[in-house]
Amino acid sequence: MRKGFHRDLEALRADLGRMCVLAGVAARHATCALLDTDAEIAERALADVRRISALRNSVERRAVELLALQAPVASDLRAVVASIRIAADADRMGGLAGHVARLCLRRHPAAVLPDELRDTFATMSQLAVDLSDQCQAAVLTGCSVQARRVCDGDAAMEDLHRSLFEAINSPRWSHGVAVAADVALLGRFYGRFADHAGEIAHRVMFQETGSPALKASV
Amino acid sequence: MRKGFHRDLEALRADLGRMCVLAGVAARHATCALLDTDAEIAERALADVRRISALRNSVERRAVELLALQAPVASDLRAVVASIRIAADADRMGGLAGHVARLCLRRHPAAVLPDELRDTFATMSQLAVDLSDQCQAAVLTGCSVQARRVCDGDAAMEDLHRSLFEAINSPRWSHGVAVAADVALLGRFYGRFADHAGEIAHRVMFQETGSPALKASV
């Protein structure tokens, strides 16, 4: 039974890793849609998001089954509870990529971004993909060192997010109000994506150390 | 032991109810700060937010203890797992009220809102308070009818949120780019507050029916 439990837990972890990677793929597709004004690739991002949500439902169901049938304790219990929370964060990362894709579709065939902000969003997208891959590594290895790399990336995203507000608030901004509102929201979507990656990293650290290194959600 | 378990579960539920109400109080304080450009009341909102986060940590710790010591099954297990998720949603509602308060503090002593949007935000705040109180009632009673009222309020908030975007995108908008970006973000904070209330309601319905009426997070 113990062996069965650990095999099931490994399978949960593998699916959590898949969810993280898929969230990065969804962010990449959504950003391509944003940069190329491409409705087809926006739809592809939304399909990624649906796959992530299906995985979340599966992870949640199996985690509750493990709690019911195996009544794990100590670090095994922490690992199962963490898997429910990590699945919620990875699902939310997918949801945020979905918001980017839907904003592209709402504005299509018009472009959402002014040219001078394309590079910033391309960099934010690459950071989102890197964070997602690092989250997968942290989840699969349970290693705090991997998890800490995610926190560094989260801080870098915050800097980019701030630079967008500086652009909007600059007297040189010439793209009007509606574009500014879109850029403010888009910046927040990428920023929150990174925050959730950071929360996954903190969950991994918590599992390893048992101490509540929860990221404050405020 | 069974009796002890149900007493502990009731205590968890009472704290979840408290978290919901406090999230509404935080939203009310944050909106007062927004409408009256009052830094002191913004700080009070941030103190509410810290209390909510402390309650979340306590609920999580006790829920994991219940899983470890009592190994509940069936509806008892669902109730304990739900309490962890509801605590996360209520904490996030507090966090969003905190974002409103911090935006007030960043712009202080300047006002954030144009006069013609004051009524909309006052209505959104009242809706946030109502949703929080309805969430408390749903959590304490476990009643789906109560929970469904929350979903109606969530839809009403979505309408208000949309009206803000219409205001920003209107040719009559005369408050410039920076204010538009602030209003877009504020609208999103209230909108997300209502979304999380809706997720709490879906959790309550799920507990009562056992069927996965999870709100899609995308």
Side-chain angles (χ1 to χ4, degrees):
Chain A
M1 196 161 187
R2 238 42 228 145
K3 199 171 157 194
F5 173 80
H6 283 109
R7 195 190 51 218
D8 291 345
L9 194 57
E10 277 311 306
L12 272 190
R13 241 183 229 135
D15 274 351
L16 292 175
R18 256 174 228 123
M19 291 180 73
C20 293
V21 170
L22 261 174
V25 171
R28 189 157 47 82
H29 284 152
T31 313
C32 285
L34 194 64
L35 296 176
D36 301 340
T37 319
D38 183 334
E40 202 174 307
I41 204 157
E43 294 292 353
R44 210 180 305 164
L46 295 178
D48 300 328
V49 172
R50 286 191 292 274
R51 285 173 64 200
I52 297 168
S53 286
L55 277 169
R56 175 189 178 169
N57 288 340
S58 164
V59 165
E60 287 198 345
R61 186 183 43 73
R62 285 147 58 208
V64 172
E65 264 171 30
L66 277 181
L67 291 174
L69 301 177
Q70 310 263 4
V73 293
S75 66
D76 288 343
L77 173 59
R78 280 208 304 272
V80 176
V81 172
S83 71
I84 295 174
R85 292 156 166 171
I86 290 172
D89 281 310
D91 189 27
R92 196 68 212 124
M93 287 160 76
L96 289 156
H99 284 315
V100 174
R102 267 190 299 275
L103 189 61
C104 297
L105 290 173
R106 267 204 300 278
R107 302 290 176 260
H108 195 266
V112 183
L113 292 182
D115 277 348
E116 77 255 29
L117 291 182
R118 291 172 60 85
D119 285 352
T120 308
F121 278 94
T123 310
M124 288 175 107
S125 172
Q126 187 53 51
L127 204 46
V129 172
D130 292 346
L131 282 168
S132 304
D133 292 346
Q134 288 160 6
C135 277
Q136 182 200 35
V139 165
L140 293 182
T141 61
C143 167
S144 303
V145 178
Q146 290 280 1
R148 268 195 209 99
R149 292 179 59 201
V150 177
C151 303
D152 296 341
D154 186 3
M157 187 74 96
E158 196 44 48
D159 289 342
L160 287 163
H161 188 187
R162 204 169 304 123
S163 77
L164 290 176
F165 280 90
E166 285 163 13
I168 294 169
N169 286 304
S170 151
R172 289 188 304 280
W173 179 264
S174 59
H175 309 286
V177 166
V179 174
D182 280 352
V183 167
L185 283 176
L186 284 170
R188 179 150 175 93
F189 297 151
Y190 286 85
R192 288 295 298 157
F193 187 102
D195 288 343
H196 283 285
E199 282 177 33
I200 290 176
H202 280 84
R203 295 285 174 202
V204 170
M205 288 190 249
F206 174 67
Q207 264 179 272
E208 202 187 31
T209 62
S211 76
L214 286 178
K215 205 177 159 183
S217 71
V218 293
Chain B
M1 197 163 185
R2 238 42 228 146
K3 199 171 157 194
F5 173 80
H6 284 110
R7 195 190 51 218
D8 291 346
L9 194 57
E10 277 311 305
L12 272 190
R13 241 182 230 135
D15 274 351
L16 292 175
R18 256 174 228 123
M19 289 179 74
C20 293
V21 171
L22 261 174
V25 171
R28 189 156 48 81
H29 284 152
T31 314
C32 285
L34 195 62
L35 296 175
D36 301 339
T37 318
D38 182 334
E40 202 174 306
I41 205 157
E43 294 291 353
R44 211 180 306 165
L46 294 178
D48 301 329
V49 172
R50 285 191 292 274
R51 284 174 63 198
I52 297 169
S53 287
L55 276 169
R56 175 189 179 171
N57 288 341
S58 164
V59 165
E60 288 199 345
R61 186 183 44 74
R62 285 147 58 207
V64 173
E65 264 171 31
L66 277 181
L67 291 174
L69 301 177
Q70 309 263 5
V73 293
S75 66
D76 287 343
L77 173 59
R78 281 208 304 273
V80 177
V81 172
S83 71
I84 295 175
R85 292 156 166 170
I86 290 172
D89 281 310
D91 189 27
R92 196 69 210 122
M93 288 160 77
L96 288 156
H99 284 316
V100 174
R102 265 190 299 274
L103 189 61
C104 298
L105 290 173
R106 267 204 300 278
R107 302 289 175 259
H108 196 267
V112 183
L113 293 181
D115 276 348
E116 77 256 29
L117 291 182
R118 291 173 60 85
D119 284 352
T120 308
F121 277 93
T123 310
M124 288 175 106
S125 171
Q126 187 53 51
L127 204 47
V129 172
D130 292 347
L131 283 168
S132 305
D133 292 346
Q134 288 160 7
C135 276
Q136 182 200 34
V139 165
L140 293 183
T141 62
C143 167
S144 303
V145 178
Q146 290 280 2
R148 266 192 211 100
R149 292 179 60 202
V150 178
C151 303
D152 296 341
D154 186 3
M157 187 74 96
E158 195 45 46
D159 289 341
L160 288 164
H161 188 186
R162 204 170 301 124
S163 78
L164 290 177
F165 280 91
E166 285 162 14
I168 294 170
N169 285 304
S170 151
R172 289 188 305 281
W173 179 264
S174 60
H175 309 287
V177 166
V179 174
D182 280 352
V183 167
L185 283 176
L186 284 171
R188 179 151 175 92
F189 297 151
Y190 286 85
R192 288 295 298 157
F193 187 103
D195 289 342
H196 284 285
E199 282 176 33
I200 290 176
H202 280 84
R203 294 286 174 201
V204 170
M205 288 189 248
F206 174 68
Q207 264 180 272
E208 201 186 31
T209 63
S211 76
L214 285 178
K215 201 174 166 195
S217 72
V218 292

